[in-house]
Amino acid sequence: SSIVAQDAFWSHAVLVQASSGAEMVSEEEPECTDNTMFAAALEEAIASAVTLPSCVRACVIAEGFQLLHDDRVAGLLDHIFFIDLSRQECIARRSAPRSSLNPNPLSIEQCERLLWPAHERYVRDSVVPLRERIHWLAPLGEPSSVAKLAEEICVKAGLLLPTARESSS
């Protein structure tokens, strides 16, 4: 089992036109990612995945904020989980001070003019068309809810052995 993170395949910024008509440099567009390399890394991880003792089969987690942009990636996914952040939560997270969870913070203005519009386009163009395949999840609240979210994903994906499910209840 492994995790393939889309952020590792970020390659370049692009020029976009903001809703105001101004041209701006954005690092938040799907075109900023080398999706060919991301899909290849995901294929490699799937081919070499091993089953963990508490699971019924091998599991590879592909994660990224624009994961479904490229049809090659979406086609490799057995289960799709989408954590649906509100505009307020998304901007609060990305404009938070630099940290291990936010290594490239944006200003609130950049979030409003670049990040959120890019997210809305992504959801409209890449997520909504796959709505039948997607498990929609609420965002995490407290840090303690990470385990609960992970278990929910494992149960929905059918990954836990019956004994593992019973002991986590």
Side-chain angles (χ1 to χ4, degrees), residues 48-164:
S48 62
V50 296
T51 303
L52 297 175
S54 62
C55 295
V56 295
R57 59 189 166 95
C59 174
V60 173
I61 298 170
E63 69 85 17
F65 77 105
Q66 294 177 331
L67 185 68
L68 303 173
H69 169 72
D70 190 295
D71 291 339
R72 292 170 296 187
V73 172
L76 294 169
L77 306 175
D78 292 330
H79 299 278
I80 302 170
F81 298 91
F82 183 77
I83 299 174
D84 197 11
L85 292 180
S86 69
R87 180 175 196 251
Q88 180 181 353
E89 178 71 15
C90 180
I91 291 172
R93 288 181 181 199
R94 283 304 308 278
S95 64
R98 186 176 311 277
S99 70
S100 62
L101 295 176
N102 191 21
N104 188 26
L106 300 174
S107 69
I108 291 174
E109 179 185 3
Q110 288 171 310
C111 289
E112 290 174 348
R113 294 181 69 191
L114 293 171
L115 175 73
W116 189 252
H119 175 72
E120 288 181 313
R121 286 190 301 276
Y122 166 70
V123 170
R124 180 193 68 220
D125 298 343
S126 301
V127 177
V128 170
L130 297 174
R131 72 181 141 262
E132 300 301 320
R133 292 186 57 203
I134 295 175
H135 301 278
W136 298 80
L137 302 172
L140 298 174
E142 298 298 314
S144 62
S145 63
V146 172
K148 186 176 180 179
L149 179 65
E151 182 179 2
E152 180 181 354
I153 290 170
C154 288
V155 167
K156 285 184 179 184
L159 294 173
L160 294 178
L161 290 171
T163 55

Side-chain angles (χ1 to χ4, degrees), residues 7-22:
D7 281 352
F9 299 92
W10 185 91
S11 64
H12 63 279
V14 296
L15 195 60
V16 297
Q17 189 169 21
S19 59
S20 65

